[in-house]
Amino acid sequence: MNDKEFEIFVEANVGLPGQGPGDNELTKRALLSMQDIPHQPDILDVGCGSGMQTLELARNLDCEITAVDIFQQFLDDLTIRAEKENLSHKIKTLKKSMFELDFEPESFDIIWAEGSIYIYGFEKGLKDWSKFLKKGGYFAITECSWLTDQISSEPQKYWNENYPTMKTVNENLEIIKNQGFETINHFTLPVSAWENYYNPLKLNLSKIAEKYGKEADKVIEEQYFEMGLYNKYSNEYGYEFYIIRKLL
Ligand SMILES: C[S@@+](CC[C@H](N)C(=O)[O-])C[C@H]1O[C@@H](n2cnc3c(N)ncnc32)[C@H](O)[C@@H]1O
């Protein structure tokens, strides 16, 4: 994608409930896996987007969430949504790159990263961000992962080009263990969580097509290719939710 196409891709994601596969029930399921979280946890939400998961956390917890994203448009959406639900007092937005996080050590009880740690790297993210987590704190991460070792050539080729370091669920569990963390729970997001993302995205792509014409062709084509691929191979790859504990 060139710069203009990337700008169009970001615009196609503005106004969506979330910017990746997900679902409030799944966010809550991950949250409920966590034992002994403090009464008023401090949460860092990395790559929060327009905050589908941020809002769900705020609905369910008396907490303070630092919601970080690099795009102000998404943070503005989150601010408006939080205001509408009277949740603003629990959410602080921060426009910052995940590559430049500089919080005090052990500032957070939970680090949440739905669909975003891949940008930084799964293994490196766990390693570098764990210093911000209190002992006994949790990571809640969704990460696109292979669900099988028997991968068809079509998804293999696509993901080799787009996310060459994508791992199987078992490989990620091994990485978590080797870094000295404990996996508390993990589960695969159902197809419906992808539909939650793809269906509103399709509507936005139509608007983008009207607005940009030919300039948007490549972005739209790529998005539809990705959607078609997932339809065909949802048994071979998917988003895995990993709930991970930093040891005491
Ligand atoms: C797949 S989306 C997931 C968004 C949200 N967590 C969700 O699940 O709906 C990835 C998010 O990471 C953000 N992002 C991309 N690069 C980033 C960076 N360098 N630092 C912080 N956020 C970034 C994007 O703007 C986007 O909101």
Side-chain angles (χ1 to χ4, degrees):
M1 270 189 207
N2 61 31
D3 286 355
K4 183 66 191 174
E5 285 161 351
F6 185 67
E7 200 184 302
I8 293 173
F9 169 72
V10 172
E11 191 176 327
N13 275 272
V14 173
L16 302 181
Q19 283 64 42
D23 175 310
N24 287 337
E25 280 310 306
L26 301 166
T27 297
K28 204 167 158 187
R29 184 172 159 196
L31 179 63
L32 290 174
S33 312
M34 299 173 180
Q35 307 282 318
D36 312 322
I37 45 176
H39 180 54
Q40 292 179 313
D42 287 309
I43 303 175
L44 172 64
D45 186 356
V46 184
C48 61
S50 51
M52 188 162 81
Q53 70 293 320
T54 327
L55 294 166
E56 185 59 11
L57 293 172
R59 285 181 203 112
N60 284 282
L61 292 169
D62 186 8
C63 57
E64 189 170 305
I65 307 175
T66 305
V68 176
D69 203 280
I70 202 163
F71 288 110
Q72 190 61 46
Q73 302 101 299
F74 295 148
L75 296 174
D76 289 345
D77 265 357
L78 171 54
T79 301
I80 293 166
R81 291 172 189 184
E83 274 164 13
K84 273 194 192 143
E85 292 195 48
N86 286 324
L87 294 169
S88 307
H89 59 292
K90 299 186 183 180
I91 300 169
K92 199 171 61 187
T93 62
L94 179 63
K95 182 178 178 293
K96 199 174 187 67
S97 172
M98 64 177 80
F99 291 90
E100 289 161 10
L101 301 180
D102 56 359
F103 302 103
E104 288 296 316
E106 303 195 13
S107 313
F108 298 101
D109 299 288
I110 304 173
I111 298 179
W112 211 275
E114 285 197 36
S116 57
I117 201 170
Y118 81 95
I119 297 160
Y120 193 89
F122 183 83
E123 185 166 2
K124 193 167 155 46
L126 285 178
K127 194 167 170 214
D128 292 355
W129 300 344
S130 105
K131 61 176 173 285
F132 305 129
L133 207 51
K134 294 177 194 167
K135 292 196 179 76
Y138 291 92
F139 279 107
I141 289 169
T142 62
E143 166 77 346
C144 201
S145 312
W146 294 113
L147 305 177
T148 171
D149 294 327
Q150 309 296 313
I151 305 160
S152 304
S153 58
E154 201 182 10
Q156 179 79 267
K157 180 172 181 296
Y158 178 80
W159 287 111
N160 272 352
E161 281 161 18
N162 290 284
Y163 188 26
T165 56
M166 187 160 120
K167 303 279 193 293
T168 62
V169 171
N170 284 337
E171 285 170 338
N172 282 331
L173 293 175
E174 202 55 30
I175 286 171
I176 295 165
K177 198 168 123 199
N178 290 340
Q179 297 224 7
F181 302 120
E182 185 184 359
T183 302
I184 297 297
N185 191 9
H186 69 99
F187 55 89
T188 308
L189 272 59
V191 171
S192 59
W194 289 70
E195 289 165 351
N196 283 348
Y197 173 53
Y198 283 152
N199 289 341
L201 177 65
K202 283 180 197 164
L203 294 178
N204 266 13
L205 289 174
S206 313
K207 290 183 202 154
I208 290 289
E210 255 178 53
K211 183 170 168 188
Y212 291 101
K214 281 200 112 15
E215 242 181 339
D217 278 358
K218 190 163 171 238
V219 174
I220 294 170
E221 201 181 293
E222 277 182 15
Q223 292 307 297
Y224 272 93
F225 182 80
E226 195 189 292
M227 292 186 239
L229 192 75
Y230 180 70
N231 260 342
K232 255 167 102 180
Y233 297 105
S234 57
N235 55 337
E236 295 192 20
Y237 67 90
Y239 262 38
E240 191 76 7
F241 224 131
Y242 300 92
I243 299 91
I244 301 161
R245 191 162 201 190
K246 178 174 171 175
L247 298 178
L248 285 165

